[in-house]
Amino acid sequence: MMRITVITVTYQAAAVLQRTLNSVGDQRYPEVEHLIIDGGSTDGTVAMAEAYASYWNNRGKGHRVVVRSERDKGLYDAMNKGLRMATGTYVVFLNAGDRLHAADTLQKIAAAAEGHDSMPCVVYGLTDVVDEQGVFLRHRRLAPPQKLSWRSFRQGMLVCHQAFYARTDVAKAHPYDLHYRLSADVDWCIRVMKAGEQEHAPLVFVREVVVDYLDGGMSVKNHRASLWERFAIMRHHYGLLTTLVMHAWFVLRGIGQRLR
């Protein structure tokens, strides 16, 4: 049975972390590695994470928890630390405040991965958006296609980062680019999918909600700077002309949505 690694990066996250821990602890899938990479919190985050780790590690079962708290160079540096530590066959990033959607979510991810002759490079699913109390707000506006490729992200980040399960060997070979401060996850997903195409490994769609995403992440709070980074990433992967055309389409799409 494959192990799935869940990586949660935290900093001063005590107000929202517990529901994330609960959602991983509630998983019926038996082989889970949960890595909590903290940036040196002082608000009770670390104590909460260590209590959770003590509970699961003392049970002596497949749910393994590791907590590391130390200063880092930012979100993506912490995520790279988690990648280096990961021992699962697949890895997913679940931010503090986000939740695995249901108790059988990881079972469904594992079943989708194991249902192919060759190991998929990525298993991906749908996303719901929730508020700070964990209450459903809406389905994510951008929805993944049935057939995904690295070219699909010309239309925007069609798969939420927290709904993107990457094969760990591929993910480790393509760590987050620390030149990007706000949108390195977009670049990372594209590079992982490119690597999968090169080895003819499929990208598999789970046609269900797999994550409840907390509204208002870092890129939302720094919206304009994030857009400039995404433009640079798209230009790098798709070329200037395609990027300009797609951004013109984004503007028209936004106008149309506002007029509805």
Side-chain angles (χ1 to χ4, degrees), residues 97-210:
D98 300 334
R99 302 178 304 201
L100 297 174
H101 183 69
D104 62 352
T105 292
L106 294 186
Q107 283 182 336
K108 291 175 179 177
I109 295 296
E114 292 171 338
H116 288 75
D117 293 335
S118 60
M119 292 294 290
C121 178
V122 176
V123 180
Y124 63 100
L126 299 168
T127 301
D128 280 348
V129 180
V130 300
D131 66 14
E132 291 188 354
Q133 285 70 49
V135 177
F136 171 81
L137 295 175
R138 61 187 178 276
H139 300 303
R140 187 172 185 263
R141 180 177 58 81
L142 291 179
Q146 174 68 35
K147 294 293 184 180
L148 181 71
S149 80
W150 67 269
R151 298 170 187 83
S152 302
F153 274 34
R154 290 177 296 186
Q155 302 172 50
M157 195 171 185
L158 298 183
V159 182
C160 177
H161 189 220
Q162 290 86 338
F164 188 96
Y165 288 72
R167 218 175 65 211
T168 304
D169 62 325
V170 178
K172 288 188 175 194
H174 301 275
Y176 291 86
D177 186 341
L178 301 187
H179 289 98
Y180 300 118
R181 189 172 63 89
L182 299 169
S183 298
D185 51 342
V186 180
D187 170 70
W188 179 76
C189 288
I190 294 170
R191 288 188 290 116
V192 166
M193 291 187 288
K194 277 186 174 181
E197 182 177 279
Q198 290 171 0
E199 65 172 69
H200 306 290
L203 312 178
V204 176
F205 184 28
V206 176
R207 300 176 186 84
E208 296 189 37
V209 175
V210 297

Side-chain angles (χ1 to χ4, degrees), residues 43 46 53 64 72-73 84 90 129 145 148 153-154 164 194-196 209 216 220-221 223 230 235 257:
D43 67 339
V46 177
R64 171 178 178 264
D72 53 50
K73 299 175 184 176
R84 291 192 292 269
Y90 286 88
V129 180
L148 181 71
F153 274 34
R154 290 177 296 186
F164 188 96
K194 277 186 174 181
V209 175
V220 174
K221 295 174 183 176
H223 184 61
R230 290 186 182 215
R235 179 178 180 177
Q257 289 171 344

